[in-house]
């Protein structure tokens, strides 16, 4: 047996950043507590939180039609929802899933990165960073119940969880496919992937923008379990029960020990990372690529 | 073909530390050389060394009933035994196993960490560090013949070896299960595991305190081979023969190149690591946990 | 979706180094452009380049009988050939293979490291470093079509590629087998292997000098695909087509992001690495080993 005093996640600094983000980003009051089943239930516009205080678990469902794009508003609501649960001692675990089976999340919202001004790009990127830090360093157990397609930013969210359950539908592929759009996953996306599937598989997957269907996803290790579509959430809750059996303090210190170095790489250069993003996304060539891509998407729908 | 001058392990500094440890820890004379088959045979009280100078190999058997707990005395005898073999040019390889099939080692000795004073905790932790450094940086080939249960500190010892053979008995699980007791594996336990099974499998195993039965142990890579119980030692000796066929100097430089960075992380902060341990283990909450656990163990026996 | 401004490979600095190397090493004019199928075709003495500008791909064949040893001249021609293709916008991908099926490359040339003077050793080692840096940091897609035995330096070349296809002939083993000759793979050989197959498999393989036959090579991940001998090159070209479908800029930034840290470790200490090599190889004991080994090789042939 062995033990050691672990490291502490700078929770307070993160909370302050979250507060600033919330105010600056939307300038609107906090979502009202709502719902009919007790004081703890609260429904945001784009994040549906279904609490089970007896079990200590909340199911958090993304609800941003049509494809759960990570708009600035969704990012902000996600951070607020996580913060609330993190600060409520009744909750020790969160199952992250989609309210719309078929799409877990399509990832970052292209319309936030196209035809806006640099200040907007900077605000948006800061919100993306904030969500990643919140999820990646959460003291709660996070289990992803991936009940739909899970590319790019959707995959990033899943990778921050402690365990990933994917529906066996071969249409539901998962991966960081940024290069297919002519763009590049930032280093902290890459680090999260390398931690999960190793260096070689990451180099291969990131260069080719690979999206892994369920069987391949399980084999490469980007998900931990594949189950029939109608069992994704129940399996996630069973997995959660096993994790909840571990003493919180020891588990949290262990998680922080495993993740601190990776998180610190971004924390130490958040501003530079934002500047990099703004400078990259503002290029004419990138703006044109995104514009073309968005127009194609519109034509498909029309 | 390629070559390079490797790096040198600071053997002398380690030896000095070992000498200090030996004197300070027990204040008793070195175990007498003994046995009936030549000057090299020596038997400690808790470490049985069976030398085969012709083969250049010694079998080192843990003998600390009932479960080979790593008491301060056992740690000290292990370090002394390793040092003797390391300094004897006749020996190039060690098979590490248990004299009591059924338990390889239960790991650290809880009675050394419970109800004692800070000076004792510090002395104990330093001895744990010393054993890890000796094993991990050994110039000899180390093969673990795991003929019994191998949790926590027992697993750590096995992980320092160059090759691990585990008996196929499904009761003989191996892993770093510290979180199950409400405690946390220190960073150098973690680093040793990450080197062996990778980042993701380690994060999963350490958070849940997983103990892998043989088939799973082989699959995750925490052991290299699984064989029937009565073939563990003979297989270990066969594996050893293969390793002994490699020129020592090249093998040693290669091993040092692979392990130096990991060892240096602890060497550079041994004192801080001891202080962390003492501070953590001295907490009332931790002492109460350990006390409760020890009383349960006593009741089981009674 | 996510994006970020990547890092830039110091291409210009590398090119300058290449120019110096070329001049210093051989003091001979550049190989003449030749061949009958257009201005781009050029044949060196030891590197046969078969360009397909329409596809944007060149097949580069090692031709240094009898075993494609990496002599100083072959190293220099390889660097020159790569530089030409890298600077020619018509080429985005290179298939690296052997003109002599049966041996991909036997690795470094022992005669360059035996019975020469320190200045020669330094010049040779600098050329080895240069080839590794060129291959490892190439902006082009590199696919290894391994149509023969691939030990040591041959394996290193293959490991720098983006994808490795190995012929299924069980005689064609691949690995870094330096310890078998009593020498040690330098840290950047080791780093390249660890990136590919992970820490534990590398520690095992490097200490024992393992050469993996095709089935094992695929399992450990040191190659990506194994196909019948007569399909190695066609498979490599099919793989290449898939990689060529990715936008260059995004793929190049992603590759640089994955590899920069590893390359920088050598770039920051090239001179020290050369000094290490010269000092190691100049030792009497090493020279004697190499001399003995070379004489055995001669007797075999005679």
């Amino acid at each position: 047996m062995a033990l050691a005093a672990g490291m502490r996640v700078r929770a307070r600094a993160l909370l302050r950043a979250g507060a600033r983000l919330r105010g600056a980003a939307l300038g609107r009051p906090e979502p009202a507590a709502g719902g009919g089943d007790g004081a703890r239930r609260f429904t945001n516009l784009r994040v549906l939180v279904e609490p089970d205080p007896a079990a200590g678990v909340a199911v958090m469902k993304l609800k941003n039609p049509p494809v759960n794009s990570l708009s600035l508003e969704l990012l902000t609501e996600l951070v607020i929802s996580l913060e609330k649960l993190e600060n409520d001692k009744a909750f020790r675990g969160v199952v992250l899933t989609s309210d719309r089976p078929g799409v877990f999340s399509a990832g970052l919202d292209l319309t936030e990165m196209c035809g806006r001004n640099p200040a907007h790009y900077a605000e948006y990127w800061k919100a993306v960073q904030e969500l990643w830090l919140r999820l990646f360093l959460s003291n709660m157990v996070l289990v992803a119940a991936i009940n739909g397609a899970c590319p790019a930013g959707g995959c990033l969210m899943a990778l921050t969880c402690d365990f990933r359950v994917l529906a066996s539908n071969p249409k539901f592929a998962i991966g960081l496919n940024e290069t297919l759009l002519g763009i590049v996953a930032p280093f902290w996306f890459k680090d999260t992937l390398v931690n999960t599937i190793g260096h070689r598989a990451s180099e291969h997957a990131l260069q080719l923008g690979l999206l892994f269907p369920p069987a391949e996803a399980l084999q490469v290790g980007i998900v931990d379990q594949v189950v029939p579509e109608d069992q994704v959430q129940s399996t996630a809750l069973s997995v959660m029960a096993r994790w909840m059996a571990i003493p919180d303090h020891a588990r949290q210190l262990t998680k922080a020990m495993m993740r601190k170095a990776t998180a610190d790489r971004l924390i130490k250069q958040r501003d530079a990372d934002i500047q990099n993003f703004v400078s990259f996304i503002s290029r004419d060539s990138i703006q044109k690529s995104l514009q073309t891509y968005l127009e194609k998407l519109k034509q498909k729908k029309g």
Side-chain angles (χ1 to χ4, degrees), chain A residues 204-225:
Chain A
H204 189 201
L206 286 173
Q207 285 203 65
L208 291 182
L210 296 182
L211 288 168
F212 298 95
E216 292 177 32
L218 189 62
Q219 195 178 5
V220 79
I222 200 169
V223 302
D224 299 297
Q225 198 171 348

Side-chain angles (χ1 to χ4, degrees), chain A residues 51-62:
Chain A
D52 180 352
V57 175
V59 176
M60 189 181 283
K61 295 182 171 177
L62 306 179

Side-chain angles (χ1 to χ4, degrees), chain A residues 97-150:
Chain A
T97 191
S98 168
D99 188 52
R100 305 175 53 87
V103 182
F104 180 77
S105 165
L108 302 193
D109 187 342
L110 292 186
T111 66
E112 304 280 10
M113 308 193 284
C114 193
R116 309 292 187 99
N117 61 41
H120 183 81
Y121 298 146
E123 182 183 357
Y124 183 64
W125 199 245
K126 186 169 188 175
V128 177
Q129 293 177 334
E130 184 67 22
L131 179 66
W132 180 74
L133 288 169
R134 287 276 174 178
L135 289 167
F136 191 66
L137 295 176
S138 175
N139 271 323
M140 298 183 289
V141 177
L142 300 189
V143 177
I146 309 168
N147 54 348
C150 194

Side-chain angles (χ1 to χ4, degrees), chain A residues 14 16 33 91 95 113 119 129 156 159 165 174 193 222 234 256 269 271 297:
Chain A
L14 284 175
R16 279 200 305 272
F91 293 99
V95 170
M113 308 193 284
Q129 293 177 334
L156 181 73
L159 288 173
V165 181
I174 180 170
L193 185 66
I222 200 169
S234 60
Q269 49 182 318
D271 288 340
L297 283 183

Side-chain angles (χ1 to χ4, degrees), chain A residues 7 61 76 130 135 181 188 222 229 262 273 276:
Chain A
M7 49 217 67
K61 295 182 171 177
T76 307
E130 184 67 22
L135 289 167
L181 299 182
W188 36 288
I222 200 169
E229 216 165 329
T262 303
D273 184 62
N276 272 343

Side-chain angles (χ1 to χ4, degrees), chain A residues 8-239:
Chain A
R8 271 154 225 93
V9 175
R10 279 163 258 167
R12 231 168 299 165
L14 284 175
L15 292 178
R16 279 200 305 272
R20 278 200 308 272
L21 168 70
R22 192 170 57 234
L26 298 181
R28 58 183 175 78
E30 296 204 2
D37 61 353
R40 274 201 192 94
R41 182 171 189 105
F42 53 93
T43 307
N44 294 315
L45 294 172
R46 296 165 192 85
V47 179
L48 185 65
V49 177
E50 296 175 354
D52 180 352
V57 175
V59 176
M60 189 181 283
K61 295 182 171 177
L62 306 179
K63 189 180 182 180
N64 193 28
V67 293
N68 287 335
S69 285
L70 295 169
S71 64
L72 184 52
E73 294 191 336
L74 177 54
L75 291 173
T76 307
E77 290 189 17
L78 275 167
V79 166
I80 291 169
S81 299
L82 282 165
E83 185 179 332
K84 282 189 177 179
L85 293 168
E86 199 93 51
N87 291 335
D88 186 338
K89 290 189 176 174
F91 293 99
R92 304 164 51 224
V94 170
V95 170
L96 187 64
T97 191
S98 168
D99 188 52
R100 305 175 53 87
V103 182
F104 180 77
S105 165
L108 302 193
D109 187 342
L110 292 186
T111 66
E112 304 280 10
M113 308 193 284
C114 193
R116 309 292 187 99
N117 61 41
H120 183 81
Y121 298 146
E123 182 183 357
Y124 183 64
W125 199 245
K126 186 169 188 175
V128 177
Q129 293 177 334
E130 184 67 22
L131 179 66
W132 180 74
L133 288 169
R134 287 276 174 178
L135 289 167
F136 191 66
L137 295 176
S138 175
N139 271 323
M140 298 183 289
V141 177
L142 300 189
V143 177
I146 309 168
N147 54 348
C150 194
C155 176
L156 181 73
M157 282 194 292
L159 288 173
T160 62
C161 292
D162 295 296
F163 200 91
R164 285 162 286 286
V165 181
L166 174 61
S168 56
N169 187 329
K171 288 183 192 165
F172 297 172
I174 180 170
L176 296 176
N177 60 327
E178 280 77 1
T179 55
L180 296 183
L181 299 182
I183 54 180
V184 180
F187 73 86
W188 36 288
F189 283 48
K190 180 262 289 176
D191 289 345
T192 318
L193 185 66
V194 170
N195 284 353
T196 309
I197 65 171
H199 192 279
R200 168 58 190 159
S202 297
E203 186 175 295
H204 189 201
L206 286 173
Q207 285 203 65
L208 291 182
L210 296 182
L211 288 168
F212 298 95
E216 292 177 32
L218 189 62
Q219 195 178 5
V220 79
I222 200 169
V223 302
D224 299 297
Q225 198 171 348
V226 171
V227 299
E229 216 165 329
D230 59 355
Q231 296 168 27
V232 171
Q233 188 168 327
S234 60
T235 302
L237 288 167
S238 299
V239 167

